[in-house]
Amino acid sequence: MKTILIVAAVVLSFSALAAVPEKFEVTAPRFTEVVKCEAETGVNIRKAPSATAPRAVYNEAKIEDYDVPVQYYTYWSSGKTGGSIIADKFTGIAPLVSETKGWYEIYGRGPVMNDTFQNGWVSAQYCTKSEIRPITISVINENAQNLRSVGNDMVIYYVADMMNDEYSFYIGKLTERQLVCPYLFSISGIEETSGETCFKANEYGVMLMYCNSSEKDFEGPVLEKLSDATIRQILNHAVKAPTSLTVFFDGSYLGTY
């Protein structure tokens, strides 16, 4: 059950911002529809739209780092699963690339090739498709743990990876129902302070957040609690990301590509 938090949009002054300019352009989103898996245990990811096509699998015995998503270890295989060979199943939601009778092509859910995740095919028998819904102020308020408006159509999308102690702030603009984020600021550690929140690199060049206790909980920074001054610092430290991250809403959940 979602907790609905009504957060007023904060309009910030950008006169002193160096990293995120007051005005910037974003590219149009690539997708307009999403696919959702309806099977509790997930569905096989195929290389082609056929039940006999190779599927994505991984060898559990060859996993070297369990902090790395399993998808990085997957490969296409026509062989049987069993023992340490496990099928990588599609769960959740993913953008719809194309479709053919009885099959959906989903974005970026196949094995890695040339540093890029390939697309995969899933059976329409176990999945449904729907239009991407607009990210409105109501959606932002209902997802205040991840989204925050910081003036006009600019929005921050926040992701916490507590297992690896990494926290990322993506900054972008709403366009064509979705949030396209060309700017990013990431930190690799949280320290509590009784003073004002600030960001500093340690002796190894790793960016840390010295966070006032009023702006965090046991899991890390709380986006809706961050002060205007902290938000300004985030915007000042942000850099242009190698590729933009796009955030979409399927009517129930947020997704990215």
Side-chain angles (χ1 to χ4, degrees):
M1 181 177 179
K2 292 185 177 179
T3 301
I4 300 177
L5 302 172
I6 306 301
V7 181
V10 179
V11 179
L12 302 177
S13 170
F14 295 94
S15 58
L17 297 183
V20 180
E22 180 179 358
K23 295 182 179 180
F24 60 88
E25 299 297 323
V26 296
T27 57
R30 286 178 284 173
F31 306 107
T32 59
E33 295 179 298
V34 293
V35 174
K36 178 182 179 181
C37 178
E38 301 292 353
E40 290 186 6
T41 57
V43 60
N44 285 318
I45 303 166
R46 301 283 180 178
K47 188 176 183 180
S50 169
T52 60
R55 58 180 169 173
V57 303
Y58 61 94
N59 187 337
E60 191 173 31
K62 293 186 177 181
I63 293 180
E64 299 174 351
D65 185 354
Y66 282 91
D67 288 338
V68 176
V70 165
Q71 189 181 358
Y72 283 92
Y73 295 95
T74 60
Y75 56 93
W76 298 120
S77 173
S78 297
K80 295 182 178 180
T81 56
S84 63
I85 306 301
I86 301 171
D88 184 29
K89 300 291 188 74
F90 168 59
T91 59
I93 57 177
L96 174 66
V97 178
S98 68
E99 62 182 298
T100 189
K101 188 176 181 179
W103 292 88
Y104 296 131
E105 182 184 8
I106 56 174
Y107 177 75
R109 284 298 283 111
V112 173
M113 178 179 286
N114 298 325
D115 298 323
T116 302
F117 287 121
Q118 301 172 68
N119 296 338
W121 290 85
V122 293
S123 172
Q125 181 178 352
Y126 306 103
C127 300
T128 55
K129 71 169 183 175
S130 62
E131 286 191 358
I132 289 175
R133 304 288 293 276
I135 296 178
T136 62
I137 188 63
S138 176
V139 172
I140 292 173
N141 290 339
E142 292 174 8
N143 292 273
Q145 69 274 21
N146 298 110
L147 295 172
R148 177 167 169 175
S149 175
V150 291
N152 297 324
D153 56 353
M154 191 180 297
V155 176
I156 291 178
Y157 174 65
Y158 168 63
V159 181
D161 180 358
M162 292 175 290
M163 181 177 294
N164 294 304
D165 205 18
E166 295 180 353
Y167 308 85
S168 299
F169 300 89
Y170 295 88
I171 300 98
K173 287 191 173 185
L174 295 170
T175 180
E176 297 183 21
R177 298 183 165 203
Q178 300 171 60
L179 174 63
V180 180
C181 302
Y183 292 92
L184 168 65
F185 176 49
S186 294
I187 54 178
S188 299
I190 307 291
E191 299 288 344
E192 187 170 317
T193 179
S194 58
E196 293 184 359
T197 295
C198 63
F199 301 90
K200 295 180 181 179
N202 63 16
E203 63 269 30
Y204 304 105
V206 176
M207 184 63 74
L208 303 177
M209 180 180 191
Y210 295 85
C211 190
N212 185 278
S213 57
S214 66
E215 297 183 75
K216 65 181 290 293
D217 60 17
F218 69 95
E219 294 182 338
V222 178
L223 184 60
E224 63 183 308
K225 292 183 178 180
L226 298 183
S227 69
D228 293 358
T230 299
I231 293 295
R232 290 189 184 97
Q233 290 183 73
I234 291 170
L235 298 175
N236 273 320
H237 283 290
V239 297
K240 196 75 177 287
T243 57
S244 293
L245 178 82
T246 300
V247 184
F248 64 89
F249 180 61
D250 77 336
S252 299
Y253 303 100
L254 297 172
T256 63
Y257 60 86

